[in-house]
Amino acid sequence: MNSTLAARVMRIYEEFDNQISRLPTQFGIHCPPGCGTCCSSAKVEATPLEMIPLAEELWRSGRAHALVDQYDGKALPDICLFYTPDALHFNHGRCSVYPHRPTLCRLFGFAAIRNKRGRREFAACRFVREMAPQAVLAVQADLDSGGEILMFTEAASRIGELEPSMNRQYPINRALWLALEKTGMILQYTIGESPNELTDPETDPLEPAPFKRCS
């Protein structure tokens, strides 16, 4: 594996973006303006592989060292480190690393799942279902008639096959930490950077050093 892994992941992300672009253009499916409800969830997960592009960007821009200094040996927050809540509006905010966001953040509310009967179901978020019920029904009708849509399982497989050893799900900040470890080592050996040493060599290479809970 080398630093071009980030570029390969980003190329697939671009394909995902192109595939879901017809939902807003053809059906008018959009996230509610300013909404950050999904971003502020403590249940958001990603794989280290999905976070590789962001991790590489953080090392290259010099921002990774500050994160390492702040959280090494400490508990990571439950909410994504890069979500900035709007102090004036509840459940509103913004993503400060939007171009490098992982798969779930790209596809939530814009992809489909299969139900127990094998039917493809458009997985619209509850706010879009409330705000634009007719648009949601139109997307579902299109799927039932054979229309194309990105499936969550398909997206996960596309990314995962790039590097299966890094394809385990973790809470989003832990996934980022693991990606920072991996990318830091890659950059050190390929372009001569010397990022902080994060990993205990006695531990699993895809497991971070144990985090100490704040008292």
Side-chain angles (χ1 to χ4, degrees):
M1 184 176 65
N2 55 51
S3 62
T4 63
L5 181 59
R8 292 160 64 197
V9 173
M10 287 302 296
R11 282 196 292 271
I12 293 179
Y13 283 163
E14 290 172 7
E15 292 177 20
F16 290 171
D17 292 345
N18 289 334
Q19 285 180 269
I20 66 177
S21 64
R22 81 183 190 100
L23 293 182
T25 57
Q26 184 174 341
F27 298 99
I29 298 291
H30 297 275
C31 289
C35 183
T37 303
C38 59
C39 309
S40 62
S41 171
K43 298 180 180 179
V44 178
E45 293 190 339
T47 68
L49 179 58
E50 293 169 356
M51 304 300 283
I52 283 289
L54 174 56
E56 182 171 295
E57 173 59 23
L58 292 173
W59 282 120
R60 291 187 184 279
S61 65
R63 291 181 287 168
H65 290 287
L67 283 175
V68 172
D69 291 342
Q70 183 174 359
Y71 292 107
D72 195 17
K74 299 177 183 178
L76 288 167
D78 293 328
I79 308 302
C80 179
L81 290 166
F82 299 100
Y83 172 65
T84 305
D86 186 330
L88 300 179
H89 299 90
F90 179 68
N91 276 344
H92 281 58
R94 66 180 184 86
C95 173
S96 61
V97 292
Y98 193 78
H100 297 95
R101 68 199 188 282
T103 305
L104 181 60
C105 303
R106 290 174 184 275
L107 302 189
F108 188 78
F110 292 88
I113 60 173
R114 286 194 184 275
N115 64 21
K116 294 180 179 179
R117 297 181 299 277
R119 181 194 184 204
R120 295 184 302 166
E121 289 187 352
F122 176 43
C125 85
R126 64 186 179 92
F127 295 107
V128 171
R129 290 183 183 278
E130 293 171 0
M131 293 174 55
Q134 294 305 313
V136 172
L137 290 174
V139 173
Q140 187 60 55
D142 182 70
L143 294 185
D144 291 340
S145 64
E148 294 296 324
I149 195 171
L150 189 60
M151 305 294 293
F152 279 106
T153 51
E154 171 193 339
S157 295
R158 287 287 313 282
I159 295 290
E161 67 188 10
L162 293 178
E163 185 58 55
S165 67
M166 298 179 65
N167 199 40
R168 176 180 168 186
Q169 292 278 335
Y170 294 92
I172 190 168
N173 291 328
R174 191 178 185 195
L176 173 63
W177 189 270
L178 295 171
L180 285 169
E181 289 184 332
K182 209 70 172 175
T183 308
M185 290 186 287
I186 292 169
L187 294 176
Q188 182 176 4
Y189 287 110
T190 58
I191 63 175
E193 288 191 11
S194 298
N196 291 12
E197 182 62 41
L198 304 179
T199 311
D200 181 345
E202 298 300 320
T203 63
D204 184 321
L206 273 185
E207 286 293 333
F211 295 117
K212 298 177 181 178
R213 290 288 172 183
C214 297
S215 57

